[in-house]
Amino acid sequence: MAHTFGTIPGFDANNLTPAQLDGVACVACAGEDGDMVPVGHVNGSQVFAHPSCTGTPLYANTLLVTGPCSTPAEVADLTAVAFDVTDQLGVNTIVATSTSHFVRDFAGVLVVGPSLTSGTKGRQMDIVAAVLEAEALAHRVPVIVPQAATETASCDACGQSQTIATVRNHHGEVFCRDCRGDAPGCSWCLEDDETEPVYTGTGFAPMCAPCADVEKVRRPSPWNLTTSERAAAHA
């Protein structure tokens, strides 16, 4: 049987469904069953492999965002942090409000609020966050804690507020990932264009303007307001 290797336009290559990968074989074992991730290009075409065959996370460009999530207000706050993570780091995010996630599927776990890693500072951790962070530590999945508010700074080039992780060069200047030129680009079309966080139902994905317009129509949400809609809502 001739196996097909190819990019599937219009989809995030890190989150393809089995149906979208029908007929695409793992470049390592040639098997077609199970979840696969993109691992490179051969003759100009994208090739895929099972995470177990490569040792890479299933969602290699996605951070699991966890923290207090017992009330609707806490979930909204956690979602807002996920927006900031996607906006500032240019990665996909999934908001975790239960312990049903497999932390080994993700590039890292970002813990908001009290953390086993940074210390709870006298506050009790949310059970969901505690379990997911403990699993991440047990499986050596990177755990990220947002920086302290005192470290927040704005990009010297575009003014974007850096609340998750401020990076300074040797001159002490702050530049965001877009202005540094190392943002990964659009998660849908993979073009190296300027992106914005777009709500996907479980978190956010960085998308270029054309892809963002399509997803905002497909998935109406208060998180997916256009600039004019946002301005009208606050008028």
Side-chain angles (χ1 to χ4, degrees):
M1 176 179 180
H3 297 300
T4 302
F5 302 102
T7 299
I8 303 175
F11 294 99
D12 176 1
N14 289 308
N15 292 283
L16 294 173
T17 67
Q20 292 157 8
L21 284 172
D22 185 36
V24 176
C26 172
V27 71
C29 71
E32 296 182 11
D33 296 329
D35 295 311
M36 286 188 278
V37 294
V39 293
H41 291 81
V42 174
N43 297 326
S45 295
Q46 180 77 64
V47 294
F48 297 83
H50 299 114
S52 58
C53 293
T54 63
T56 59
L58 177 59
Y59 305 117
N61 193 38
T62 302
L63 292 179
L64 190 65
V65 180
T66 186
C69 57
S70 299
T71 68
E74 288 178 339
V75 173
D77 289 343
L78 198 60
T79 304
V81 172
F83 177 98
D84 289 340
V85 173
T86 296
D87 190 33
Q88 295 171 35
L89 304 185
V91 297
N92 296 295
T93 52
I94 290 180
V95 177
T97 58
S98 74
T99 59
S100 62
H101 301 276
F102 295 100
V103 296
R104 284 175 290 181
D105 288 344
F106 298 89
V109 177
L110 186 137
V111 182
V112 180
S115 165
L116 299 174
T117 305
S118 63
T120 60
K121 299 179 180 179
R123 294 182 294 165
Q124 184 175 359
M125 282 191 71
D126 184 280
I127 185 62
V128 171
V131 169
L132 292 176
E133 183 177 1
E135 290 180 352
L137 294 172
H139 295 293
R140 298 183 180 180
V141 175
V143 174
I144 303 167
V145 178
Q147 66 187 13
T150 53
E151 298 176 78
T152 296
S154 298
C155 174
D156 289 342
C158 70
Q160 183 193 61
S161 179
Q162 302 295 288
T163 62
I164 305 300
T166 297
V167 177
R168 299 178 184 273
N169 62 18
H170 61 282
H171 297 297
E173 301 165 321
V174 177
F175 291 102
C176 68
R177 293 198 69 173
D178 277 324
C179 293
R180 292 200 307 269
D182 61 1
C186 179
S187 65
W188 261 25
C189 69
L190 308 182
E191 291 295 326
D192 186 20
D193 293 330
E194 183 177 349
T195 63
E196 63 174 297
V198 177
Y199 188 63
T200 59
T202 56
F204 295 90
M207 296 185 188
C208 65
C211 292
D213 288 343
V214 172
E215 181 66 358
K216 287 178 179 180
V217 171
R218 290 180 62 247
R219 200 180 299 277
S221 165
W223 292 103
N224 281 341
L225 297 179
T226 63
T227 302
S228 58
E229 289 173 335
R230 207 177 298 276
H234 290 86

